Amino acid sequence: MRILGFMSGTSLDGVDAAILSSDGEAIDDFGPTHLTSFSTAERAIVKDATEQFVATGTAEPRLLAEADDIIVSAHVRCARELLSKPGAGKIELIGYHGQTVLHRPDRGLTIQIGDPARIANTLGVDVVADVRQADMAVGGEGAPLVPIYHAALARKIGKSGPIAFLNVGGVANFTFIGSDEQIIALDTGPGNGMLDLTVQKRGLGRYDDGGALAASGEVNQAVLSHLLAHPYFEREGPKSLDRYDFPLDIVDDLSAADAAATLVAFTANSVALGARQLPEQPELWIICGGGRHNPVIMEALREVLGACESADDFGLRGDFIEAEAIGFIAARSVRGLPVTFPNTTGAPSPTTAGKLYKAQTATVA
């Protein structure tokens, strides 16, 4: 099956899209990828809506409608740009995540905006969406979703356990694959999210480009210790986070460079705390997501974890693995195969994810 997978992450970079061929078990081949960035105005509107959801559990109706329309329009634009590329082929199914504006697993609540029915009807292709809700309905955390795809990638590149895939996005999460092929996953803590927000708050850009800011600062050990004392780190996995779960104002009194250095150390050390729960330590960590582009983050991870390599070193598309995963999950969903498991989300049993939105128009893809 030829699938287009979408991911719009909490970093608000834009919409990632990737094409792959898969039956939801094996990965046959990879098609082209594409990123459609949000404009500054679009990003500001979606950010405002997200912050309203975090603060109050909802958003003002007019703002919500505007943000929803931005998400749908960006995905449609991204799909059309991607499908014009050589090698795209004929798309049979779309996997769609939407834009998370609130994730509160303690309340059984996860909210994504961006109407999937509009995407199905505009593009004329069936869409699998609502990929977290079924897991949360049975008591799971609704995250991480990607572990079953990480396991398929490990088979694709010929790697056996004990290894781990670590995604460093807005939130960081890992998938551990043991020597007995057992899969364990959890959100470890912040990925790039707190660092990005700090850089933005100080008017220094959207992110710490090349890790230059963090490289010029020093870790404030008192602030780091306070951050690592958060109750989240005392919980056993499976467990998941929202990007806004940690207080950002704790670094307000630090210089920009020291704040960046401290937040990088927080990301790395929180991953190490999560790894302590594993039955055996990975011999290799394969790093995915935007964080792998930051050499200071990569060095900090190597200091606490050991062998860390970029996903790209194994021929993978490190910026698009989550988009690929949503497509893979869509293929599993239509076949009724499980996506989440007791050791990945805490669901009581393997659970199939996703709702199918049938296209009401002739295909244009």
Side-chain angles (χ1 to χ4, degrees), residues 322-336:
E322 287 197 311
E324 293 169 2
I326 299 301
F328 185 80
I329 286 168
R332 292 183 70 84
S333 179
V334 296
R335 293 187 60 200

Side-chain angles (χ1 to χ4, degrees), residues 73-131:
S73 298
H75 280 78
V76 169
R77 188 166 72 248
C78 183
R80 287 176 169 158
E81 291 165 352
L82 174 60
L83 291 169
S84 69
K85 291 186 175 183
K90 177 76 171 179
I91 300 303
E92 301 169 75
L93 186 67
I94 291 173
Y96 172 68
H97 179 269
Q99 181 68 47
T100 296
V101 291
L102 187 66
H103 184 71
R104 288 285 182 264
D106 56 319
R107 293 158 49 192
L109 180 65
T110 188
I111 299 174
Q112 287 78 38
I113 62 172
D115 183 1
R118 282 182 59 195
I119 291 174
N121 292 331
T122 303
L123 295 175
V125 181
D126 293 349
V127 170
V128 172
D130 304 334
V131 290

